Amino acid sequence: MSVRDLIPWSGNNGHQAPSLLRDDDRDPFLSLHREVNRLFDEAFRGFGSNFPSLTGRSGIGGGWPNVEVSDNEKEIKVTAEVPGLEEKDIEVLLNDGVLTLKGEKHSETEDKDRQFSERYYGRFERRIPLGAEVKEDNVDARFKNGVLTVTLPKSEQAQSQVKRIAIKS
């Protein structure tokens, strides 16, 4: 047997050209496996952001609502996208160094005529550990155009604990 016989294609010797499909796209069992994992991820969405999904993410696409956390020397800012909600639908709590965003998103219509929906409705809760001591009396929460912004000023002690480390080449 020649080494050329082991190569799945070789120029114009009459051998078949390589397929553009990945092996798992051709294999119905791998395709089924991927689809079952996706279905289980969707089924476990309601368990909250701390429940690990089968794809390694947690909660609804990593947790709903989607948040952005920025941290500088003076404050921590948490921004959450909550489209379709109003101020009254969201509760912001701060307890023992953890910021909690919770609430409920309601459907605008009744379910009787709905045949298909990819939108998320129901209760949600996100817990965000802050990692620094904050001035609880000065925390500010603002809501505008479906975006919640919580500004948490750091305490003087937390600000003084920040130490810059020089990088040497």
Side-chain angles (χ1 to χ4, degrees):
M1 176 189 306
S2 163
V3 172
R4 289 180 182 239
D5 293 334
L6 299 175
I7 301 173
W9 70 91
S10 59
N12 294 329
N13 291 357
H15 292 281
Q16 186 176 6
S19 172
L20 297 176
L21 296 174
R22 296 184 335 221
D23 287 339
D24 59 340
D25 288 334
R26 289 184 293 203
D27 186 343
F29 292 107
L30 289 174
S31 181
L32 176 65
H33 177 74
R34 189 172 45 249
E35 185 67 16
V36 169
N37 281 347
R38 186 188 63 78
L39 290 171
F40 271 97
D41 280 348
E42 289 179 6
F44 288 118
R45 279 185 180 172
F47 287 102
S49 62
N50 293 327
F51 188 83
S53 73
L54 297 174
T55 60
R57 296 179 311 218
S58 61
I60 303 157
W64 195 89
N66 294 329
V67 298
E68 180 177 272
V69 179
S70 60
D71 185 354
N72 61 39
E73 292 177 14
K74 297 185 184 251
E75 67 185 15
I76 300 170
K77 188 178 283 190
V78 177
T79 307
E81 293 180 341
V82 285
L85 282 127
E86 297 178 16
E87 220 174 302
K88 63 179 177 58
D89 299 325
I90 305 169
E91 188 175 4
V92 179
L93 305 167
L94 180 61
N95 185 20
D96 200 24
V98 177
L99 179 70
T100 303
L101 309 175
K102 60 197 264 187
E104 186 168 2
K105 184 174 180 183
H106 302 280
S107 174
E108 298 89 24
T109 61
E110 291 186 29
D111 290 341
K112 65 179 183 172
D113 295 330
R114 184 178 302 141
Q115 294 179 0
F116 177 78
S117 177
E118 290 183 339
R119 297 177 69 190
Y120 172 74
Y121 301 105
R123 295 177 190 258
F124 64 88
E125 183 171 316
R126 283 295 302 265
R127 294 180 183 186
I128 303 157
L130 300 175
E133 187 178 313
V134 297
K135 297 178 188 174
E136 294 182 10
D137 296 336
N138 296 355
V139 173
D140 181 54
R142 298 185 185 266
F143 185 82
K144 184 178 180 183
N145 296 332
V147 178
L148 173 69
T149 304
V150 182
T151 305
L152 305 116
K154 292 182 179 179
S155 68
E156 286 78 17
Q157 180 184 3
Q159 290 180 33
S160 68
Q161 290 177 348
V162 174
K163 181 180 179 183
R164 297 264 181 229
I165 299 172
I167 301 172
K168 300 174 186 172
S169 56

